[in-house]
């Protein structure tokens, strides 16, 4: 297992053209739905299939009542960006169970194929099995694309990514070795930071999607400016590295879609649409 240079500092700010600022969380959700609809149509027109990677958390709610899903679900494979190593029907802990309750049952009934874990608490075994399932998909379903001479990496049509306040993406957390795994390493990693452990796509796999979209929105009484501090570190802060704030590893490849609260600390060049 090999690692990226963990001390590399990210000094270049994200190009403003890659940052979409919308009025509020509802507008962000509608834009995410539009992005999924367009990506599905494009992929199916090109090769007859759409492969989508999604995380847990708030992005799941953005996919509720996606009216276009009936059109593309029969020709779609869904992959999880990360998932806890729990039974798939665990309503409290399983992203798969939460997604099914919110929208995925309808998508699956329409013909979507979801790649899921086997439901054990064995992180390394689950990561290995999940990676094998991805590698067993034919390239008509899951294309391969090498960003360097490292060999195959999966090329998802769209990867939706959330960012935690600490900068984690998927289950890649600050100050842990998993975030530094490079394109020569595994596609799927076991993360034993919590009990039960999780599996996560590696950062090179996330970044290799044809389109990477990071979504951030929402405010609360406790956080009246939402995810503004985290978005500043992810998008424009100088001196961050993969270990200090993993989300910076998606600079240069991601489109960042956020509400005005999340964008409030980015600077004047990152204005609302």
């Amino acid at each position: 297992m090999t690692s990226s240079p963990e001390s590399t500092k990210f000094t270049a700010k994200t190009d403003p053209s890659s940052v979409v600022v919308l009025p509020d969380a509802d507008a962000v959700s509608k834009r995410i739905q539009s992005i999924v609809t367009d990506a599905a149509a494009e992929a199916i027109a090109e090769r007859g299939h759409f492969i989508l990677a999604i995380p847990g958390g708030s992005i799941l709610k953005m996919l509720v009542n996606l009216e276009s899903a009936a059109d593309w679900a029969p020709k779609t494979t869904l992959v999880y960006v990360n998932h806890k190593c729990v039974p798939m029907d665990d309503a409290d802990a399983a992203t798969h169970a939460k997604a099914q309750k919110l929208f995925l049952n309808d998508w699956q009934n329409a013909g979507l194929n979801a790649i899921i874990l086997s439901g054990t608490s064995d992180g390394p075994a689950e990561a290995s099995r999940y990676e094998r399932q991805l590698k067993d998909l034919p390239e008509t379903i899951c294309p391969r694309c090498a960003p360097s001479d490292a060999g195959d990496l999966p090329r998802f049509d769209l990867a939706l990514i959330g960012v935690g306040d600490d900068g984690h993406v998927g289950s890649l957390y600050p100050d842990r070795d998993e975030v530094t795994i490079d394109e020569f390493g595994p596609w799927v990693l076991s993360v034993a930071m919590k009990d039960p452990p999780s599996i996560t796509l590696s950062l090179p796999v996330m970044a290799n999607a044809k389109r990477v979209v990071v979504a951030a929105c929402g405010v609360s009484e406790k956080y009246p400016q939402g995810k503004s501090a985290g978005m500043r570190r992810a998008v424009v802060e100088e001196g961050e590295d993969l270990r200090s704030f993993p989300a910076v590893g998606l600079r240069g490849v991601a489109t960042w879609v956020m509400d005005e609260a999340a964008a409030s600390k980015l600077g004047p060049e990152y204005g609302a649409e």
Side-chain angles (χ1 to χ4, degrees):
M1 190 178 296
T2 56
S3 299
S4 302
E6 59 193 62
S7 61
T8 300
K9 302 294 184 182
F10 288 78
T11 57
K13 296 181 178 181
T14 301
D15 190 308
S17 66
S18 295
V19 178
V20 178
V21 180
L22 299 168
D24 52 31
D26 286 344
V28 171
S29 295
K30 290 176 182 177
R31 181 61 59 91
I32 293 301
Q33 291 200 358
S34 177
I35 288 170
V36 173
T37 298
D38 291 346
E42 180 179 335
I44 291 169
E46 286 181 353
R47 68 173 198 286
H49 201 82
F50 175 47
I51 184 163
L52 168 68
I54 66 169
S58 60
I59 287 181
L60 292 182
K61 294 180 180 179
M62 299 181 191
L63 300 174
V64 174
N65 296 325
L66 206 172
E67 294 180 359
S68 68
D71 298 329
W72 46 261
K75 298 179 179 179
T76 295
T77 295
L78 183 139
V79 173
Y80 288 108
V81 172
N82 60 313
H83 202 292
K84 290 181 180 178
C85 296
V86 295
M88 294 296 95
D89 60 356
D90 186 329
D92 295 323
T95 294
H96 182 64
K98 294 174 184 178
Q100 285 189 309
K101 182 177 181 180
L102 289 169
F103 60 85
L104 189 56
N105 273 333
D106 290 340
W107 294 11
Q108 289 181 294
N109 289 338
L112 176 141
N113 177 40
I115 307 299
I116 62 174
L117 287 70
S118 59
T120 75
S121 60
D122 187 333
E126 289 288 0
S128 179
R129 282 193 288 264
Y130 206 81
E131 180 166 333
R132 176 45 52 196
Q133 288 186 84
L134 295 180
K135 288 185 172 180
D136 284 345
L137 293 171
E139 291 198 33
T140 52
I141 301 296
C142 182
R144 310 288 196 270
C145 178
S148 66
D149 59 355
D152 286 347
L153 283 176
R155 180 77 159 171
F156 304 132
D157 295 299
L158 175 63
L160 299 177
I161 309 291
V163 178
D165 293 337
D166 61 356
H168 77 264
V169 288
S171 292
L172 299 175
Y173 289 89
D175 297 317
R176 291 188 59 88
D177 291 340
E178 294 92 0
V179 75
T180 67
I181 299 304
D182 68 11
E183 64 267 30
F184 293 88
W187 291 5
V188 183
L189 309 172
S190 172
V191 181
M193 191 175 101
K194 301 178 182 179
D195 185 22
S198 295
I199 67 168
T200 184
L201 301 177
S202 72
L203 191 58
V205 170
M206 294 183 203
N208 198 52
K210 185 175 182 180
R211 187 168 188 187
V212 182
V213 176
V214 178
C217 63
V219 296
S220 65
E221 184 175 338
K222 184 177 180 180
Y223 297 104
Q225 290 185 300
K227 295 190 173 183
S228 58
M231 285 299 98
R232 177 171 177 79
R233 292 183 70 183
V235 174
V236 301
E237 195 79 10
E238 295 183 4
E240 299 285 2
D241 58 37
L242 295 179
R243 279 192 175 273
S244 69
F245 209 77
V248 299
L250 298 177
R251 284 189 194 178
V253 298
T255 298
W256 305 77
V257 182
M258 63 189 76
D259 61 8
E260 291 179 353
S264 62
K265 295 183 179 179
L266 296 186
E269 64 267 45
Y270 299 93
E273 282 193 340

